[in-house]
Amino acid sequence: MSDKYDFDLFTIGAGSGGVRASRVAAAHGAKVAIAEEHRVGGTCVIRGCVPKKMLIYGAHFAEDLKDARNFGWSTENAKFDWVTLRDNVLNDVDRLEGAYTETLENNDVSIYHERAEITGPHEITLASGTKVTAKHILIATGARPRMPECQGAEHAISSNEAFHLDELPKKIIIAGGGYIANEFAGIFNEFGCDVHIVNRGDKLLRSYDEAVRDRLLQISTMKGIKFRFNTTFEYIKPCDDGGYFVKMSDCDEEKADLVMFAVGRIPNTEGLGLENAGVELGDKGEVKVDRFSKTNVDHIYAVGDVTDRVQLTPVAIREGQAFADSVFGKGDPVAVDHGCIPSAVFSHPPIAAVGMTEGEAKNKLGSVKVYLSDFRPMKNVLAGRNERSLMKMICDGDSGKIVGIHMIAPEAPEMMQAAAIAVKAGLTKADFDATTAIHPTMAEELVLMR
């Protein structure tokens, strides 16, 4: 511990990246403090992946209860109560916030439940006026939903508010084409809402493989979700009898109970004193860092969504760990490898992917081989559900090395986690072919593609 400063590390933001960095730095013997103006746990735990996945589970029962009838179960009297699910999810979020707080306290990390700003070299001023000094400062303030500028935009909600609704809307218009828009469209649709997705572009899920995107659009349409592309909002006006009048560029005014924007996320860099500290920001307001998460100012670092490298929780956690090990550990500095990161969209059904899409592989490698499995899962056959799954494998045409796997299928994210290890390790199509299938599973398609 340096006598010159109050702390060895001061972290601003107690989300996934900040909490991991602080905990690990403290375990290395550093004296650590963390400031959080909202709730300990950050986006993922409080208003993101975790509560969203619980809503996804809740939504899935709508289909499962219907499908159960062909498996001999009588489920005709099943009823859904949104408030029960909402409150149970929020209670679990409270539990997790307590667990994260406990983790920090058990590692002797000082927690300030207030906003913090950098006000000088190595100096942080808290909202209460307290000034502290730190040898190293870590920015881990994450990102927030972007709310577009249109007349009446303040009447729309973001994903943050979706977890707290008093009642479900009969009709909801969701703006956006990314994973948050598609996930909430699936959730609200399963709960019986009339769901309309409005996108200013002409594509859903731009970074995913085209075949998988097209299949999601087809299945979502079949489930009753309505899509409008190349459309922008003109205004949102409250109605006297509740709900809103919504006008979009390509159609007449219509009425909706709720409008939700899911059109990207903005790094939280305002009001942190970064400009005064001389920290360089990128075009989108993100903190610019090198491969060791260091900014252009020697003692200031940043991890997670605020750096806008890859906005995924496990990436923020890895960056936080690598930062703490590099700065406070005994070994060599550690950089996070941002290549070949698997990801998932928890739509209905979910999508999972790792590596290059077919288009990217053709542009980069020239010669590629594509293997495809298009099938109806056994459970769907007996349930009478006409919904097909798709798995796609992209290989280097010369070496046979697998450079991408893409799938849309029930439990696709669970299958992908193991498959991603093989792709990251550089295995070939022959390695998959040499592996015996587990029958009957959906995952066996991965080793049976011809």
Side-chain angles (χ1 to χ4, degrees):
M1 167 66 192
S2 158
D3 297 331
K4 197 174 161 190
Y5 302 105
D6 298 324
F7 297 101
D8 295 315
L9 171 65
F10 195 102
T11 301
I12 304 178
S16 300
V19 167
R20 174 60 65 93
S22 302
R23 179 172 70 73
V24 174
H28 282 309
K31 187 180 182 189
V32 182
I34 193 164
E36 174 55 62
E37 66 175 335
H38 295 306
R39 299 177 69 181
V40 172
T43 294
C44 175
V45 172
I46 305 296
R47 66 195 83 85
C49 339
V50 172
K52 172 200 72 187
K53 186 75 184 283
M54 292 175 192
L55 293 188
I56 300 268
Y57 285 132
H60 243 298
F61 284 109
E63 290 187 358
D64 290 343
L65 287 165
K66 242 181 247 164
D67 292 351
R69 293 168 200 170
N70 278 9
F71 290 85
W73 292 90
S74 174
T75 60
E76 279 73 10
N77 297 323
K79 283 206 298 286
F80 174 66
D81 180 60
W82 159 251
V83 173
T84 301
L85 174 62
R86 180 199 68 186
D87 290 353
N88 286 342
V89 168
L90 294 177
N91 287 341
D92 206 57
V93 166
D94 289 345
R95 178 188 67 78
L96 286 165
E97 183 185 14
Y100 271 66
T101 303
E102 209 173 287
T103 297
L104 290 169
E105 288 171 348
N106 289 346
N107 281 275
D108 295 324
V109 175
S110 304
I111 306 172
Y112 293 96
H113 295 280
E114 53 186 310
R115 189 168 178 82
E117 190 181 332
I118 300 169
T119 47
H122 302 277
E123 183 189 79
I124 296 103
T125 302
L126 296 156
S128 56
T130 307
K131 285 188 189 307
V132 294
T133 57
K135 187 176 183 186
H136 300 281
I137 297 170
L138 177 67
I139 311 296
T141 47
R144 66 183 183 279
R146 173 184 286 113
M147 298 304 278
E149 288 174 17
C150 80
Q151 189 189 332
E154 69 276 8
H155 299 301
I157 65 163
S158 72
S159 54
N160 290 354
E161 293 77 40
F163 300 104
H164 299 270
L165 298 176
D166 290 330
E167 58 184 2
L168 290 172
K170 290 186 184 66
K171 176 180 174 180
I172 180 169
I173 297 174
I174 301 176
Y179 72 96
I180 296 173
N182 282 283
E183 288 172 344
F184 275 101
I187 290 167
F188 284 120
N189 180 63
E190 295 298 334
F191 292 153
C193 308
D194 177 17
V195 178
H196 297 245
I197 284 193
V198 174
N199 192 15
R200 63 178 182 180
D202 59 358
K203 286 188 179 74
L204 296 179
L205 298 167
R206 279 194 307 264
S207 62
Y208 286 85
D209 196 87
E210 197 171 353
V212 169
R213 285 192 270 136
D214 288 348
R215 182 60 55 90
L216 179 64
L217 179 60
Q218 180 194 343
I219 293 173
S220 298
T221 304
M222 215 160 63
K223 289 181 191 291
I225 299 172
K226 290 135 194 117
F227 291 86
R228 279 182 255 176
F229 295 100
N230 302 311
T231 304
T232 52
F233 279 74
E234 289 182 6
Y235 62 73
I236 303 165
K237 291 178 184 169
C239 311
D240 294 340
D241 57 348
Y244 303 93
F245 289 121
V246 183
K247 174 75 176 79
M248 280 166 280
S249 55
D250 67 341
C251 55
D252 295 335
E253 182 181 85
E254 61 189 281
K255 200 173 169 196
D257 300 290
L258 198 60
V259 180
M260 175 175 161
F261 282 123
V263 290
R265 296 177 65 78
I266 304 171
N268 284 321
T269 47
E270 297 91 345
L272 292 174
L274 298 180
E275 298 81 359
N276 299 338
V279 173
E280 199 180 329
L281 302 180
D283 298 340
K284 297 182 206 139
E286 75 277 17
V287 179
K288 292 179 81 168
V289 289
D290 66 12
R291 49 196 285 266
F292 298 106
S293 296
K294 189 184 200 172
T295 70
N296 60 312
V297 179
D298 246 7
H299 64 282
I300 301 177
Y301 293 74
V303 296
D305 290 2
V306 76
T307 66
D308 200 20
R309 286 176 281 185
V310 180
Q311 291 196 346
L312 292 171
T313 299
V315 175
I317 290 170
R318 278 177 171 254
E319 289 168 359
Q321 176 90 38
F323 154 78
D325 287 342
S326 298
V327 175
F328 299 102
K330 302 284 185 285
D332 293 331
V334 190
V336 173
D337 177 4
H338 288 92
C340 213
I341 293 171
S343 66
V345 181
F346 291 97
S347 44
H348 282 77
I351 287 172
V354 68
M356 290 186 256
T357 64
E358 184 179 344
E360 287 166 347
K362 281 178 175 166
N363 289 340
K364 194 167 178 186
L365 304 172
S367 163
V368 299
K369 273 196 180 146
V370 178
Y371 300 87
L372 204 64
S373 180
D374 189 336
F375 61 97
R376 197 167 162 211
M378 186 191 283
K379 186 183 170 198
N380 285 356
V381 175
L382 195 60
R385 184 174 289 283
N386 187 19
E387 200 173 292
R388 295 181 69 81
S389 294
L390 183 72
M391 294 188 187
K392 189 171 178 179
M393 188 180 281
I394 323 287
C395 302
D396 183 318
D398 300 327
S399 65
K401 182 179 165 183
I402 301 167
V403 294
I405 297 178
H406 310 272
M407 53 174 101
I408 177 166
E411 307 303 336
E414 301 291 344
M415 291 186 267
M416 184 57 76
Q417 183 65 78
I421 299 168
V423 178
K424 182 76 173 159
L427 299 192
T428 62
K429 176 75 170 68
D431 292 319
F432 271 55
D433 292 344
T435 305
T436 304
I438 301 172
H439 184 72
T441 63
M442 283 181 289
E444 69 180 310
E445 297 295 328
L446 284 167
V447 298
L448 296 176
M449 288 189 206
R450 291 289 176 264

